[in-house]
Amino acid sequence: MESTLVQPLVSKKAARLSIGAFFFIAGLCFASWASRIPDIKQHLQLSDGGLGAVLLALPVGLMVSLPFSGWLVHHFGSRKMVLLAALLYPLILCNIGLVQQTWQLVVALFVFGLLGNLFNIAVNTQAVSLEVLYGRSIMASFHGIWSLAGFTGASIGTLMINFHLPPFTHFCIIAATAFLMIALLYRNSLRQDINADDDRPLFAKPDATLLKLGLIAMCCMVCEGAMFDWSGIYFQKVVAVSKGLIPLGYTAFMCTMAGGRFAGDKLVTRLGALRMLQLSGLVIASGLVIAITFPTLITATVGFMLVGIGVSSVVPLVYGVAGKSTVFSPGVALAAVSTIGYLGFLAGPPMIGFIAQAVSLRLSFALIAVLGFTTTIISSRTKF
């Protein structure tokens, strides 16, 4: 079935700027939360195992939203859902900054995860639709904007920590920035999604390709989740840096992930999707092995930079292929892949905490390295 998408009422460049802004908002909010995890952990006096259990609430929220996120995007359109998520996501971020008890953080993270997934499905549906209008790969650059926002958010977090500003004040500044971007750029988002009016099923059994794409995404998201939630703790406890340098590993990871994604579209064209995914898994594993074997400031930073390069193109590649599925509409196909992929977010961060509590944080990162290499193995058995 051919894709059905009319020319947008705004120019493609204007639409690309608008969609990129929403990717930036999503990345900025998430990175802002991640940059203050050590502070919130200390404020609530959580152990490693306790933090791992609390962090489980966020991916649970993601998973709970998966069955209906695709339906909401398909039924109401990605444009409306992007606006809804972009308004509520920063508000929940501010609420995280107000928590005084562990149960409050659990509830806030659950809602943060739920809205984050709706935001993810809606904005990627917009991106897939625009990619069809462009007639070439642009998905990786959008995810590059998300990563650039993550780098920006981590840098702002470092600044806020050094200025001794509390998380709530920090998060309110981020929310105000997000609302200004929405007011200026929302009007240029795409009005219509690809295949919005066809008769593709909302619910159906994923085919073999979608299942493998989901598994690849899952392995990558375990690695991403480890960096998002535990890179600061790793630098604090294993590398043993000063408080001001705790976010350095996360910042290094986000910086190289952003750079890799901006180069990703050209690299995929040159190397092909299969070779790109195979190399990505090797680089992820290599970076983690370096950080584990040589836990010093320089080597751990270099290792986390390699992890950023490795994970940079995996999810954009997977989402780009899934969004053009001949079986599902884009929103539903992306939700199907995300259902499998976000199992990595569901299992990864808590698993690290439990293993760290029982044995050591370095051993838990070694397991993540094995899962990163699994990306290479699965992609070698997938047809693109």
Side-chain angles (χ1 to χ4, degrees), residues 174-192:
I174 297 301
T177 302
F179 295 152
L180 178 61
M181 295 177 68
I182 294 168
L184 292 175
L185 297 170
Y186 171 70
R187 64 181 181 273
N188 292 329
S189 57
L190 289 181
R191 268 70 170 175
Q192 183 182 357

Side-chain angles (χ1 to χ4, degrees), residues 182-365:
I182 294 168
L184 292 175
L185 297 170
Y186 171 70
R187 64 181 181 273
N188 292 329
S189 57
L190 289 181
R191 268 70 170 175
Q192 183 182 357
D193 299 329
I194 179 177
N195 301 318
D197 300 321
D198 67 19
D199 58 353
R200 298 185 186 192
L202 287 177
F203 302 99
K205 181 180 179 180
D207 57 21
T209 299
L210 279 182
L211 287 173
K212 290 180 180 179
L213 288 173
L215 289 173
I216 293 170
M218 181 182 70
C219 292
C220 180
M221 287 181 176
V222 169
C223 300
E224 287 191 41
M227 294 296 103
F228 292 147
D229 292 345
W230 286 96
S231 57
I233 307 299
Y234 191 87
F235 263 59
Q236 182 183 51
K237 299 192 67 173
V238 178
V239 185
V241 298
S242 62
K243 184 176 181 180
L245 292 176
I246 287 174
L248 179 61
Y250 178 78
T251 303
F253 163 77
M254 293 300 296
C255 183
T256 55
M257 186 166 71
R261 284 177 169 173
F262 283 117
D265 291 322
K266 291 183 179 180
L267 288 173
V268 171
T269 301
R270 178 176 297 180
L271 300 175
L274 175 59
R275 182 61 59 85
M276 192 70 176
L277 288 171
Q278 289 173 329
L279 290 175
S280 294
L282 290 172
V283 174
I284 291 170
S286 298
L288 286 168
V289 168
I290 290 173
I292 295 164
T293 307
F294 308 103
T296 66
L297 178 62
I298 295 177
T299 53
T301 301
V302 170
F304 282 14
M305 290 174 69
L306 288 174
V307 177
I309 293 172
V311 303
S312 62
S313 295
V314 176
V315 171
L317 261 175
V318 168
Y319 278 17
V321 174
K324 300 178 184 68
S325 170
T326 58
V327 179
F328 300 103
S329 65
V332 176
L334 288 169
V337 170
S338 294
T339 300
I340 304 171
Y342 274 121
L343 288 173
F345 268 2
L346 179 66
M351 177 180 63
I352 291 174
F354 297 144
I355 295 176
Q357 185 82 9
V359 187
S360 72
L361 190 56
R362 291 174 72 182
L363 180 61
S364 63
F365 268 62

Side-chain angles (χ1 to χ4, degrees), residues 66-184:
L66 283 169
F68 59 84
S69 290
W71 180 86
L72 286 172
V73 171
H74 181 88
H75 186 74
F76 294 104
S78 63
R79 191 170 192 259
K80 292 179 181 178
M81 291 300 102
V82 158
L83 178 61
L84 177 65
L87 290 173
L88 295 180
Y89 201 47
L91 290 177
I92 296 300
L93 176 66
C94 293
N95 188 64
I96 292 175
L98 291 173
V99 299
Q100 297 298 322
Q101 298 183 41
T102 301
W103 72 265
Q104 295 173 341
L105 180 59
V106 170
V107 173
L109 288 180
F110 175 84
V111 179
F112 195 60
L114 189 150
L115 289 171
N117 184 63
L118 179 61
F119 204 167
N120 174 59
I121 299 300
V123 75
N124 275 283
T125 300
Q126 285 262 308
V128 168
S129 298
L130 186 61
E131 189 173 63
V132 172
L133 287 173
Y134 266 84
R136 58 183 173 85
S137 176
I138 60 171
M139 180 65 76
S141 65
F142 281 127
H143 286 253
I145 292 172
W146 190 95
S147 299
L148 179 62
F151 170 72
T152 303
S155 300
I156 293 173
T158 302
L159 187 65
M160 297 295 178
I161 291 170
N162 290 331
F163 282 157
H164 306 290
L165 287 178
F168 178 68
T169 303
H170 172 190
F171 295 161
C172 284
I173 294 172
I174 297 301
T177 302
F179 295 152
L180 178 61
M181 295 177 68
I182 294 168
L184 292 175

